[in-house]
Amino acid sequence: MKTGKTAQTIAAANGIASDAAFGAVTPPIYLSTTYRFPGFKNPGSYEYSRMSNPTRDQLADTLAQLEGGCGAVITATGMAAVDLLLATLDRGQLVVAPHDCYGGTHRLLSLRAAKGHFDVAFVDQNSEAELTAVLGRRPALVLIESPSNPLLRVTDIARVAERSKAVGAKVAVDNTFLSPALQQPLALGADFAIHSTTKYLNGHSDVVGGAVIAADPQDLKGLEEWANATGITGAPFDAYLTLRGLRTLFPRLEHQQRNASAVADFLDRHSCVDAVHYPGLPSHPGHATAVRQQRGFGAMVSFNVKGGTDGARRFVEAVKLFTLAESLGGVESLVAHPATMTHASMDAEARRVAGIDDSLLRLSVGLEGEADLLADLDQALQSVASLPDRAAP
Ligand code: PLP
């Protein structure tokens, strides 16, 4: 959906001052579940809020414009957005997903595959051999997550999309970690962009929601039908809050990624840190790809702390400004221990294959002052200084 407006203007102003009833500057919220039929067999533009709702449509329209899609379906959660895509698959069809995707996505795919709804293959999409082998099985859907949660691995979206589409697969990119402010998967060749709007799009850790944005009107129609049939559409109140959060997406992310870059540099130099995973670091294996396909490096930073599980426990118990909590993308800084939190639903072997070990910590860097964030990390890292270095393999 192209309007000729800049993305910043779309985020800040789409739908502003469009209220025909009273001239409200902020688009009003429509909580009504049902809408009057003007006449027999003659519905108006809205009938029933599970199918469609003006407030939800306002958010869908704004996200579709930001992602460059033809439309969007707003779902109750990010997982519901992933599941909406899965609803379109037939028994026996193959879904390809990254071996290090978000733990909840891994769990959902595994549970549905175990029920026989479709087949799933988890692969390292950066491995030429693995990608070639799995595309040889002619998948119906290839799911990409870039940068990945929690290791911030970067996948070359244009390359994987081109190769997947050449064998007839649809391509979906989970764009949660960057948002359309920093990456537009549809412009890189994907058919769908998926979001947990819970994260950067809402940005205030007070709404759980999701979205699927489609490039093709036929695909969009299919998703809308499934969303209505299964009833996974999001609540109007959540859409209203998410739209409010979206107004400040660009300045929030700009500031947060500046903080994140400072955090990554700081951790990279620290003697109590074994490895830092941040695509903005030139040493990151996906740095060159990130420079090419992203407009910024985002505000998520992961690192392996010295001392394994002990080091991770000491660190999360010592931080004061960072809060130990699931989720990400809000204005406040959070720390998570993926192995026992966000990725605990993956079995130990799947975590090992994905590279998620017990020393890994994931930071969602917020809007606080840079000096305060670095000071908090520094004092927390002092608590692990006395632990032994990682044993040589
Ligand atoms: N995709 C990614 C990359 C996520 O990090 C998450 C949640 O953390 C989800 C999807 C699921 O979103 P939600 O928690 O809104 O269901």
Side-chain angles (χ1 to χ4, degrees), residues 27-28 35 58 71 84 90 123 131 151 206 224 251 263 271 294 296 301 329 338 353 358 371 387:
Y35 294 80
Q58 185 74 71
L84 178 59
D90 292 322
V123 301
L131 187 66
L151 279 160
D206 53 8
E224 285 172 342
V263 162
S271 59
Q294 301 175 194
V301 181
V353 171
D358 288 347
L387 290 171

Side-chain angles (χ1 to χ4, degrees), residues 279-324:
L281 292 174
S283 56
H284 187 282
H287 179 71
T289 308
V291 168
R292 218 174 37 246
Q293 73 184 13
Q294 301 175 194
R295 279 190 222 107
F297 301 113
M300 297 299 297
V301 181
S302 294
F303 67 101
N304 295 91
V305 70
K306 179 182 166 179
T309 311
D310 263 358
R313 184 176 43 73
R314 285 193 192 190
F315 180 87
V316 300
E317 285 173 357
V319 281
K320 295 190 172 74
L321 192 51
F322 284 81
T323 302
L324 178 63

